[in-house]
Amino acid sequence: MTDRPGSPSHPGVSTLFPPGRRLGVRHEQLREEVRGYLQDQLAQGKYTPHNDAWLSSWDEDFSRGLGARGYLGTTVPKEYGGQGADALDRYVITEELLASGAPVAAHWIADRQIAPSLLRYGTEAQRHRYLPAISRGESYWGIGLSEPDAGSDLAAVRSKAVRVDGGWELTGRKVWTSGAHHAHAFFALARTGPPEGRVRHTGLSQLIVELDQPGVEIRPIRLLTGAHHFNEVVFDRVFIPDDMVLGTVGDGWRQATSELAFERSGPERYLSTLPLLTTLVGELAAGGDSVRDVDAAMIGAITARVWTLRQMSLAVAGALAQGEVPEVAAALVKDLGTRLEGDIVDIARTVARTEPDPSAPTELPRLLAESILHTPGFTLRGGTNEILRGVVARALGMR
Ligand SMILES: Cc1cc2nc3c(=O)[nH]c(=O)nc-3n(C[C@H](O)[C@H](O)[C@H](O)COP(=O)(O)OP(=O)(O)OC[C@H]3O[C@@H](n4cnc5c(N)ncnc54)[C@H](O)[C@@H]3O)c2cc1C
């Protein structure tokens, strides 16, 4: 151990989650506006609330509607078609969308991590090509990282791009690619050169792959329920022109891991099952005095945890707003938040006086059933909790 907790250079909690990054009046006005819009959409029957809607409720009309209202591309500068606002504005919008279980999967990945990566690493041509459409809710993206033997050990990717005239020829395959069957493109992490010595993280690059081009095959990987969410994406000598390399050739590892700070830090890492909790509380409240003390105590305790996570998640958003890359704080929030999401489901199963039923006409049994089916993925996607704890342990000087 090189740097013990409590030592001067140890990043204590107050450093990871600095106080004083608060939402202002402007943010609360924005919240009211977004909430009003969502209530109106719900009243018009434009969507049905779902848990985990950010990953599985795909509705392109809804995304375009959000884009038209200026609720996407929030932090994208106006010159690229965005709103030119800050990460806390985006936080408020995403928080309201998640809390209401709105169908946001179509634009989620593009708005969350592709747009900031294009801003950070993309060329002017790439920014102008993609950012306006992302901000309008018309350009949908996946994440091309995982491979059959490269999940947690991402540096083991075997997709390989070889140099050809004017660009690269990409061969290999990705798995667990959420939404690739609907998406327009993703960044593929691929090996473009040999590792330097034994440092496997070198020699990797990010390539922009438009998914409708020759040589790209998208095969469904179905869930046990039969639902099509995941895919295997196979590349067979796909030509990637030089102007579709993202950032610097050989710098893909650093770029991809900085993208993970955006992927791991958002409120979707603790709010995926909030619609279940609020529906449960609503039903209990409608039952009046019949709520058992033991149930009320469980609801109270989990609600307190939701509020704690919110403060931590908000601090991460505040750090992002200041241009920082708070990857350790993001890892902590994701570990704690995804466990909270699962605990909400366990409590709902204990407290609810109903059986889970995916086709029930009423909300609670339906939300309960879909939460149970989605829970196993919470602590895996975006980096497993074991890997996140390794990130935190390293920052604490314990590895
Ligand atoms: C719902 C969902 C959506 C996803 N969407 C995408 C997507 O769109 N794009 C994409 O690229 N990927 C996606 N993934 C894949 C996800 O990123 C991987 O599942 C994850 O990184 C784990 O990799 P793996 O499945 O290969 O498991 P493995 O890496 O094989 O891990 C198996 C188990 O071993 C543990 N383990 C592994 N290494 C260590 C270690 N060093 N120390 C301690 N424990 C360890 C892990 O924590 C885990 O419990 C998605 C996954 C899910 C569940």
Side-chain angles (χ1 to χ4, degrees):
M1 206 188 291
T2 55
D3 185 12
R4 289 176 184 280
S7 70
S9 57
H10 168 255
V13 168
S14 61
T15 318
L16 289 176
F17 299 99
R21 286 164 178 164
R22 303 259 184 271
L23 297 175
V25 174
R26 176 172 61 87
H27 297 114
E28 294 309 335
Q29 285 169 344
L30 175 61
R31 178 188 306 289
E32 286 310 311
E33 183 195 307
V34 177
R35 195 174 283 183
Y37 175 72
L38 292 172
Q39 281 165 354
D40 187 49
Q41 294 287 298
L42 254 184
Q44 290 182 45
K46 293 282 173 63
Y47 71 90
T48 303
H50 286 282
N51 287 298
D52 213 17
W54 65 273
L55 205 73
S56 45
S57 267
W58 192 285
D59 183 335
E60 298 179 7
D61 283 342
F62 191 83
S63 292
R64 278 192 286 267
L66 292 176
R69 303 261 322 170
Y71 294 159
L72 302 182
T74 316
T75 59
V76 173
K78 291 193 170 166
E79 63 187 292
Y80 304 118
Q83 304 305 316
D86 74 20
L88 290 178
D89 292 271
R90 182 173 186 277
Y91 190 91
V92 165
I93 295 168
T94 51
E95 203 174 33
E96 288 303 313
L97 291 169
L98 295 164
S100 77
V104 292
H107 67 263
W108 198 261
I109 289 166
D111 184 69
R112 175 181 70 185
Q113 68 203 79
I114 303 301
S117 290
L118 286 168
L119 284 169
R120 187 170 293 174
Y121 302 114
T123 61
E124 274 304 284
Q126 290 166 355
R127 293 173 184 176
H128 284 291
R129 179 176 177 132
Y130 297 118
L131 290 173
I134 289 175
S135 302
R136 289 195 304 270
E138 292 173 359
S139 176
Y140 314 124
W141 291 62
I143 301 172
L145 293 175
S146 306
E147 296 188 4
D149 295 312
S152 302
D153 185 15
L154 195 56
V157 291
R158 285 191 297 213
S159 287
K160 192 173 172 185
V162 294
R163 194 82 189 115
V164 292
D165 194 21
W168 299 85
E169 201 172 73
L170 175 65
T171 300
R173 65 185 170 133
K174 298 288 172 184
V175 280
W176 315 128
T177 323
S178 304
H181 52 309
H182 299 303
H184 298 115
F186 64 25
F187 301 149
L189 184 68
R191 186 154 288 289
T192 44
E196 287 167 20
R198 297 177 64 186
V199 187
R200 292 181 308 146
H201 302 147
T202 54
L204 297 169
S205 303
Q206 283 187 298
L207 307 173
I208 301 175
V209 181
E210 296 197 346
L211 295 171
D212 61 353
Q213 64 184 298
V216 178
E217 188 188 346
I218 299 173
R219 302 172 180 162
I221 302 175
R222 294 198 181 273
L223 303 181
L224 280 177
T225 58
H228 180 188
H229 159 79
F230 285 130
N231 300 276
E232 176 184 25
V233 181
V234 181
F235 316 117
D236 180 14
R237 302 180 63 188
V238 177
F239 177 65
I240 310 290
D242 282 326
D243 63 4
M244 294 290 261
V245 172
L246 181 74
T248 309
V249 171
D251 206 18
W253 180 262
R254 192 181 61 81
Q255 293 177 196
T257 48
S258 74
E259 187 185 321
L260 285 175
F262 291 97
E263 183 180 346
R264 290 176 175 165
S265 63
E268 67 269 40
R269 300 305 182 177
Y270 76 100
L271 288 177
S272 300
T273 52
L274 195 80
L276 173 65
L277 181 62
T278 48
T279 304
L280 175 68
V281 170
E283 291 224 352
L284 289 175
D289 294 341
S290 65
V291 182
R292 297 182 309 165
D293 286 350
V294 63
D295 293 342
M298 277 193 278
I299 300 283
I302 200 91
T303 305
R305 280 173 63 195
V306 172
W307 277 105
T308 309
L309 249 307
R310 177 167 190 260
Q311 292 310 113
M312 296 170 78
S313 172
L314 204 46
V316 173
L320 285 173
Q322 296 187 354
E324 297 165 24
V325 183
E327 54 187 5
V328 178
L332 262 174
V333 170
K334 184 173 177 297
D335 176 82
L336 293 169
T338 53
R339 280 189 285 151
L340 168 79
E341 292 177 328
D343 289 347
I344 288 175
V345 181
D346 284 345
I347 286 175
R349 292 177 87 165
T350 310
V351 172
R353 291 160 209 167
T354 181
E355 290 297 315
D357 178 356
S359 50
T362 49
E363 292 280 278
L364 190 56
R366 180 178 64 74
L367 290 174
L368 193 54
E370 71 185 23
S371 305
I372 291 167
L373 291 168
H374 283 229
T375 298
F378 296 162
T379 56
L380 295 174
R381 59 191 182 192
T384 70
N385 283 25
E386 290 74 22
I387 295 302
L388 297 173
R389 285 171 209 167
V391 170
V392 176
R394 192 174 299 116
L396 291 172
M398 300 171 86
R399 285 182 72 198

